[in-house]
Amino acid sequence: MKHILTVLLSFLVLSVQAGEIIVSEGESIHEALRKAREWRRTGDAHCQGGITITIHAGQYYMQEPLFIRPEDSGTDESPLVIRGAGENHKSIICGDARQKHTQLWPKEGMERMTDFNPTDRTITIPTPPKSVLDSLKSHLSPLTFHLSPLEMVVHQRWAIAILRVKEMKVEGDKTVVSFMEPESRLEFEHPWPQPVIGGEKGNSSFLLRTTEQRDGIEQLVVIDGANYVTFDNITFARTCWNRPLHKGHVTLQGGFPLVDAYKLATPGLPWDSELENQAWVERPVSAVTVRNAHHVTFDRVVFEVLAATALDFVDNISDCRVQGCTFGNIGGTAIMGGSFAESPREVHRPYTDLASRCQRLTIERNFIVDAATEDWGAVAIGLGYVRDCTISNNYVNCVNYSGICVGWGWTPLDTGMKNNRIIGNSVKGYARQLYDAGGIYTLSNQPGSVISDNKISAPYPAPYATNNRGFRIYLDARTDGFTIENNHTGEDDPTAAGRFINLRPIRRDEIGDNHPGPNIIFKQ
C-alpha cells in the first residue's frame, strides 16, 4: 500500500509540474483560460514551471474575443502558453467570415473618373451600361439599401476610399455620384489623399460594387495587461471588418481611418510652416490585439483570411516577438505596432512621448503573402512611433501598397524614435495597386537606425497609378538618421519561389526621398 501511495504521489507531482489544461473541439477555450486564472489567483502548485493550455485539432468558433488579462500573466519562470496540439496548425481559433463583394462595374478592373468636385461633394464617372443602371435601382432604394449597399471604391495614389453611394444622377454619357455621411465630409474636406484628375498617367480610378457583408466578429483575442504569454502552433482565421458597412472608409495613410479632417484656411503651424491639413485618425480593428504588455510571443502561428489587421501591438508594449509565423489573405496590415497618434491627438504634431511606448519589438522570419487585400492602403508590416525595434529576415510578397514601413509624424524633430533595424528581409510584389510606395518605407527622424542587407524587387507596375512614384526604398517626409547599406535588387527566380536572381546593389538614384534630413548615410 505504501508503495502504491508513493507511485500515486509521484504521478500527482508530475501532473502538477506539467500544469497542462487540454481543450478538445466543442469545449471552451474561455473556460480553460478561467481555470488557469484560478490557478494563478490561488497560487496553485500547477503554476510551477508554467501553465500550458493545449488546444486539440478542430474549429473553435468565437462569439466574443478571448480576453487575456493582468490576472493571467505568467512570469519568466512560469509563462502562460497557449498552443496547438500536433503539427500542421489544425487548432483553429476563428470567426464566421461574412465578407463578400460583387463588383458591378466595370466587371473587371477599374474605370477612370472624369471629375472630383469638393464643392458639390460629388464624383463624376462615365455612365455605366443600361444593364448595370437597371440593376442599381434596387440597391439605391431606401427600402433595400441596408440589405445590399452600393459602394464606390476610389483609388487615391497611396490610399483608397470606400464610399457608400447615396445618389446617382445620369446626365447623358456622364453620371454624378453623391455619398453618405460621414465619409462624404471626410472625403471632400481633407486634401490628402484625394483622387487625382489629370495626373501624369491619367485620372484616378474607381469601381462600383455591392456588399453582402453582415456584422460579424472582428476580434479573436485581446491581450490587455498580461505578460509572459506565448501562442504557439495556433491558427487564427476568418474575421470580419464592419466599419465600411456603417461609416464608409476614408483614410489618411496606412489604413488609418479619418474620424475628423479638413484643410486649414491659413496653412502653417509653429512646428511646420507648410502644413495645410489637420487630421484625427482611429486605429483599424485587429483580429489579435496586444496592449499594456511585455514578453508576449507569437511562434509558428498562422494568420489567414482576416478582413482587417491581423496582429497589432497597440500601446505600452515591450520585449515582444513575432517569429516564424505565416500571414496569408489579410485584408489590412499583417503586423502593426506602435502609436500612430490616434485620436484624440492630431496626427501631424511632433510628439515626444509615444516612441517609448513600443520598444524592443522583434519581427523575424515571418512569411507574409497577400496583405492589404480589402484596404489597399494597408501594408505588410507597419510600425509607427517605435524605438529599438528589429524587423529581420521576413519574406513579403503580394501587397497593394508598401511592404515594410517604419515611422510616423512627417517631422525632422526629435520624437524619441531611434535605433530601429530593418535587416535581411526579402520584399517583392509590392505597390500592386497604389503608388507613392516603397518596398521599405520610412518617415521622420530616427537616429541610429539601419536599413541593410535587404533584397527588394522593383515595384509592381500598378495598372491604375496616376504617377510613377514607386521605389525600392522610399525615404518619405523628413526621414533622417538611417544608415543604408548592402541592399540589393533583382528578379524573381522562376524555378524557386521566394528567390531572387540577377542581384545587384540598389543605387542611390533608385531610392526615393522627400525632403530627407542631413544625417542619412548611404553605403554600397
Side-chain angles (χ1 to χ4, degrees):
M1 179 64 70
K2 183 177 180 181
H3 177 70
I4 293 173
L5 286 173
T6 301
V7 171
L8 287 173
L9 287 171
S10 299
F11 176 76
L12 288 172
V13 169
L14 288 173
S15 297
V16 168
Q17 289 176 340
E20 183 177 28
I21 302 169
I22 296 175
V23 184
S24 298
E25 191 170 22
E27 296 177 342
S28 171
I29 301 174
H30 296 270
E31 289 300 322
L33 181 62
R34 181 175 294 184
K35 184 175 182 179
R37 185 179 300 149
E38 285 301 296
W39 286 353
R40 295 283 187 196
R41 184 182 67 83
T42 60
D44 193 285
H46 285 86
C47 300
Q48 295 178 13
I51 300 173
T52 299
I53 298 175
T54 299
I55 303 174
H56 281 183
Q59 307 265 345
Y60 296 83
Y61 293 96
M62 308 297 283
Q63 302 301 315
E64 61 177 328
L66 181 71
F67 289 101
I68 303 179
R69 311 173 192 277
E71 293 78 9
D72 303 314
S73 288
T75 64
D76 192 15
E77 297 78 20
S78 176
L80 172 64
V81 178
I82 301 176
R83 69 179 185 92
E87 300 299 325
N88 301 321
H89 302 88
K90 292 184 178 179
S91 304
I92 304 171
I93 299 175
C94 58
D96 183 13
R98 301 169 180 177
Q99 198 102 349
K100 183 179 179 181
H101 303 297
T102 301
Q103 186 167 332
L104 298 178
W105 188 71
K107 288 294 185 182
E108 295 181 2
M110 303 185 81
E111 181 69 45
R112 301 282 181 178
M113 63 179 62
T114 60
D115 184 61
F116 179 82
N117 189 326
T119 302
D120 296 338
R121 296 187 181 180
T122 59
I123 293 175
T124 302
I125 64 174
T127 295
K130 183 177 183 303
S131 60
V132 174
L133 290 174
D134 289 343
S135 72
L136 291 178
K137 290 178 181 177
S138 62
H139 297 301
L140 292 173
S141 165
L143 296 177
T144 60
F145 190 87
H146 68 287
L147 296 177
S148 188
L150 177 65
E151 299 175 335
M152 178 181 284
V153 178
V154 181
H155 189 293
Q156 301 185 153
R157 284 200 171 167
W158 64 83
I160 63 166
I162 301 174
L163 310 174
R164 297 170 298 160
V165 174
K166 178 181 179 182
E167 186 177 36
M168 296 176 65
K169 293 183 178 180
V170 177
E171 300 175 354
D173 61 351
K174 296 180 179 179
T175 294
V176 180
V177 188
S178 59
F179 306 96
M180 307 282 280
E181 299 294 354
E183 63 266 39
S184 179
R185 174 179 61 84
L186 297 170
E187 173 72 2
F188 291 98
E189 286 191 6
H190 189 257
W192 300 106
Q194 282 184 345
V196 173
I197 301 298
E200 300 164 27
K201 300 173 69 175
N203 295 357
S204 286
S205 304
F206 73 94
L207 60 85
L208 295 174
R209 70 184 186 188
T210 59
T211 176
E212 298 177 21
Q213 179 189 352
R214 304 185 305 279
D215 284 348
I217 189 167
E218 297 180 305
Q219 294 185 291
L220 299 174
V221 173
V222 177
I223 302 170
D224 194 351
N227 309 315
Y228 291 98
V229 178
T230 293
F231 279 88
D232 179 31
N233 194 34
I234 293 286
T235 293
F236 296 108
R238 299 195 300 277
T239 53
C240 285
W241 180 35
N242 300 330
R243 189 180 196 280
L245 191 64
H246 303 286
K247 299 180 180 180
H249 185 61
V250 182
T251 66
L252 179 70
Q253 188 174 347
F256 282 83
L258 295 168
V259 294
D260 196 9
Y262 51 83
K263 186 172 182 177
L264 291 169
T266 303
L269 289 169
W271 53 88
D272 190 337
S273 62
E274 298 179 358
L275 185 66
E276 64 174 349
N277 57 316
Q278 296 278 273
W280 293 260
V281 300
E282 68 181 21
R283 205 161 185 109
V285 70
S286 54
V288 179
T289 301
V290 183
R291 56 177 175 256
N292 304 314
H294 59 80
H295 293 93
V296 175
T297 298
F298 295 85
D299 190 5
R300 302 184 304 150
V301 173
V302 171
F303 298 79
E304 62 182 9
V305 195
L306 303 170
T309 304
L311 173 60
D312 191 359
F313 296 88
V314 177
D315 179 54
N316 192 24
I317 70 99
S318 64
D319 301 288
C320 294
R321 305 182 72 88
V322 187
Q323 57 191 25
C325 297
T326 299
F327 297 78
N329 194 357
I330 307 301
T333 294
I335 306 171
M336 184 180 292
S339 174
F340 289 79
E342 296 90 338
S343 182
R345 300 182 189 236
E346 199 280 326
V347 297
H348 296 95
R349 292 172 178 260
Y351 298 104
T352 60
D353 63 321
L354 296 178
S356 62
R357 300 186 67 82
C358 182
Q359 56 184 323
R360 298 188 300 279
L361 172 62
T362 299
I363 300 169
E364 63 180 2
R365 295 182 290 102
N366 301 290
F367 186 86
I368 303 173
V369 174
D370 283 335
T373 60
E374 287 286 338
D375 182 350
W376 296 351
V379 301
I381 299 173
L383 304 186
Y385 284 100
V386 298
R387 72 185 202 187
D388 300 303
C389 292
T390 300
I391 302 172
S392 66
N393 299 300
N394 300 283
Y395 175 81
V396 172
N397 195 359
C398 293
V399 60
N400 284 316
Y401 179 46
S402 295
I404 297 172
C405 303
V406 179
W408 199 243
W410 305 276
T411 178
L413 302 176
D414 178 19
T415 63
M417 290 187 287
K418 63 181 181 179
N419 301 334
N420 296 312
R421 301 167 64 82
I422 308 170
I423 301 174
N425 303 282
S426 294
V427 183
K428 59 178 65 174
Y430 60 96
R432 294 180 68 87
Q433 295 288 353
L434 304 176
Y435 262 35
D436 274 67
I440 293 174
Y441 174 101
T442 59
L443 281 171
S444 299
N445 186 17
Q446 304 180 44
S449 295
V450 174
I451 301 172
S452 70
D453 299 289
N454 301 284
K455 299 175 183 176
I456 311 167
S457 73
Y460 192 87
Y464 304 104
T466 55
N467 66 17
N468 291 306
R469 294 182 60 79
F471 308 98
R472 292 160 177 84
I473 298 173
Y474 188 9
L475 312 176
D476 198 7
R478 280 62 180 272
T479 292
D480 203 359
F482 278 89
T483 297
I484 304 168
E485 60 182 329
N486 199 36
N487 298 287
H488 289 74
T489 188
E491 305 163 14
D492 284 335
D493 184 345
T495 66
R499 290 179 55 184
F500 284 86
I501 57 174
N502 301 326
L503 283 172
R504 62 169 178 80
I506 294 175
R507 301 188 306 268
R508 180 65 182 89
D509 63 4
E510 295 175 310
I511 297 177
D513 54 51
N514 181 8
H515 300 95
N519 300 305
I520 299 291
I521 300 172
F522 180 77
K523 301 178 182 178
Q524 201 64 293

